[in-house]
Amino acid sequence: MAPKTRWLTEEENKAWKGLTLMQFQLFALLGRELADTGLSFQDYVVLAELSDRPDNRARLNELGRQLGWEKSRISHQVSRMEQRGLVEKVRCDTDQRGWFIGMTAEGRAAIASAAPHHVATVRRCFVDLLTAQELRVLESITSKVLAELPEP
Amino acid sequence: MAPKTRWLTEEENKAWKGLTLMQFQLFALLGRELADTGLSFQDYVVLAELSDRPDNRARLNELGRQLGWEKSRISHQVSRMEQRGLVEKVRCDTDQRGWFIGMTAEGRAAIASAAPHHVATVRRCFVDLLTAQELRVLESITSKVLAELPEP
DNA sequence: CGAGGGTCGTTGATATATCCACGACCCACT
DNA sequence: AGTGGGTCGTGGATATATCAACGACCCTCG
C-alpha cells in the first residue's frame, strides 16, 4: 500500500506559496508597466530572446526551448507579433519545414524603448533587493530544480 | 536627464531567467499531473485555500487577496467551479453584496483525492531538492520582495 | 528509390485571463 | 433621511494559453 503522505511543513509551505505569489505578482507588475509601451510581457521576452542572438533571429523551436514554451504557444505568439510588424518570418533554406524569426526595425525600436524601464523595475522590485549570497542560492536552487524536472 | 540603464549582470540575468523558467515548468508539470484528477491547478489552489480555513469557506475578496488574484479572475474561476459542483455560494448575512464560498462534499472529495499525488510531486520536484538553508533563504527572498511590491 | 517514423510548425476548438464598465450595497457625514 | 464616495462582485469583450489533430518535410534504412 502507498506510504502515508508527507505533507509540507509550515516552513516548506510558506516558501512554496511565497514563491508562487511572488512570481505572479512580479509578472503582473511587469506586464502592467510594459503595457504603456504597447508590448505585453510575452512580447518582451520573445524580443529579448531574439536580441540576445548575434544575428537577431532564431528558429521557432529554439525560441520555444529557451523560453520553455510549447510549440503551439510560440507559434501563436509569433503569428500575432508578425501581424503587428514586430517580427518577420523567413523560410529556412536548409529545412523547408522551418522558419527563422527575425526582428523588424519596429521590433528593435519597441524593445529598445521598453527595456530601460523594464530592467529598472526588475532591479528595483527584485534583483537589487537581494544580497549577493541570496542571488547565488537562488541560482543554485533553480538550476538544481530545472535539472531534475521530468520530461513532459 | 535619466541615468544610464544598469543592465543585469550575467549572474543576475541567469538567476532571474532561471526563476521564471523554473516556476513556469513546475506549474506546467503540476497542472499536467492534476489533469488526471479532473482538477486544474487553479481549481486546486482555490480548494486548498478553502481547506485551510476552519469553516472551509471564505469571501471572494479574501480568496483573491490570499492568492494574489484580481477580483474578476476569482469571480470567473469560482463561477466555473460552482457550475461543476466543487464549491457553493452562500449569501453573506452581514454584507448583502458579498458571498461566502464553501466547499461542497464533491469539492472536498476532489481535493482529498488529488492532494497526495500533488504534494508528492511538489516534494519530489522542488521541496526535497532544497537544503534547509536554501529553503530559509528562499523564504527570506520572497517575503522581502513581496513586502516591497508597489500597489497596483 | 520509396516507405516509415520522426520533427517542424500550423490550425481550430476550448479554456482561461485580463480589462473595464456596471449595479448593488455599505458607510460616514450632514 | 439623503447624498456621495468607497467596496463587493458580476458580466461581456478581447487577448492569450492549452490540447489534439494535421500536413509538410526530413532522414534513415532496406
Side-chain angles (χ1 to χ4, degrees):
Chain A
M1 98 172 225
K4 201 159 182 321
T5 297
R6 287 170 51 227
W7 301 105
L8 298 186
T9 67
E10 194 155 337
E11 290 76 28
E12 289 167 342
N13 193 44
K14 202 167 161 203
W16 170 243
K17 280 178 78 171
L19 178 60
T20 298
L21 187 53
M22 177 185 81
Q23 278 293 86
F24 187 78
Q25 304 282 58
L26 278 176
F27 285 177
L29 174 64
L30 292 170
R32 259 179 272 129
E33 300 212 335
L34 277 172
D36 301 335
T37 73
L39 293 179
S40 69
F41 186 69
Q42 296 87 324
D43 298 334
Y44 185 91
V45 295
V46 168
L47 291 176
E49 193 62 43
L50 290 173
S51 302
D52 281 350
R53 298 172 181 266
D55 49 0
N56 282 7
R57 57 183 211 160
R59 292 284 295 269
L60 276 178
N61 57 351
E62 297 177 58
L63 279 178
R65 199 157 356 94
Q66 293 294 321
L67 300 176
W69 293 9
E70 319 177 38
K71 58 186 179 177
S72 175
R73 182 181 181 188
I74 195 74
S75 171
H76 282 301
Q77 175 73 30
V78 164
S79 302
R80 272 175 262 136
M81 293 177 73
E82 188 188 18
Q83 293 287 329
R84 289 189 290 147
L86 295 168
V87 299
E88 61 192 352
K89 289 184 185 179
V90 182
R91 262 296 176 204
C92 173
D93 46 355
T94 62
D95 185 340
Q96 290 304 114
R97 296 167 299 179
W99 302 88
F100 280 109
I101 311 305
M103 293 169 77
T104 60
E106 197 176 342
R108 262 180 270 270
I111 192 168
S113 111
H117 186 227
H118 178 79
V119 171
T121 304
V122 172
R123 278 208 170 282
R124 178 169 45 86
C125 297
F126 184 68
V127 170
D128 284 352
L129 298 175
L130 308 194
T131 66
Q133 190 227 0
E134 288 173 332
L135 209 65
R136 270 197 310 279
V137 171
L138 184 59
E139 205 283 320
S140 119
I141 292 175
T142 59
S143 53
K144 205 162 29 171
V145 172
L146 284 169
E148 294 289 331
L149 267 185
E151 298 305 315
Chain B
M1 99 171 227
K4 200 161 184 322
T5 297
R6 290 169 51 226
W7 302 106
L8 299 186
T9 68
E10 194 155 338
E11 291 76 28
E12 290 166 341
N13 194 44
K14 204 168 159 201
W16 170 243
K17 282 178 76 172
L19 178 60
T20 297
L21 187 54
M22 177 185 81
Q23 278 293 85
F24 187 79
Q25 304 283 57
L26 278 177
F27 285 177
L29 173 63
L30 292 170
R32 261 180 271 129
E33 300 212 335
L34 276 172
D36 301 335
T37 73
L39 293 178
S40 70
F41 187 68
Q42 296 87 322
D43 299 333
Y44 185 90
V45 296
V46 168
L47 292 176
E49 194 61 44
L50 290 174
S51 301
D52 281 350
R53 298 171 180 265
D55 48 1
N56 283 6
R57 58 184 211 159
R59 292 283 296 268
L60 275 177
N61 58 351
E62 296 178 60
L63 279 178
R65 198 158 356 96
Q66 292 294 319
L67 300 175
W69 292 10
E70 320 178 37
K71 59 186 178 174
S72 176
R73 182 180 181 188
I74 195 73
S75 169
H76 283 301
Q77 174 73 31
V78 163
S79 302
R80 274 175 260 135
M81 293 176 73
E82 188 188 18
Q83 294 287 330
R84 291 189 288 146
L86 295 169
V87 299
E88 61 192 352
K89 290 185 184 177
V90 181
R91 262 296 174 204
C92 174
D93 46 355
T94 63
D95 185 340
Q96 290 304 113
R97 295 167 300 179
W99 302 88
F100 279 109
I101 311 306
M103 294 170 77
T104 60
E106 198 175 342
R108 262 180 269 270
I111 194 170
S113 110
H117 185 226
H118 179 79
V119 171
T121 304
V122 172
R123 278 209 170 280
R124 178 169 45 87
C125 296
F126 184 68
V127 170
D128 284 353
L129 297 175
L130 308 194
T131 66
Q133 191 229 358
E134 288 173 334
L135 209 65
R136 269 197 310 279
V137 171
L138 184 60
E139 205 283 320
S140 118
I141 293 175
T142 59
S143 53
K144 205 162 29 171
V145 172
L146 284 171
E148 294 289 330
L149 268 185
E151 299 304 314

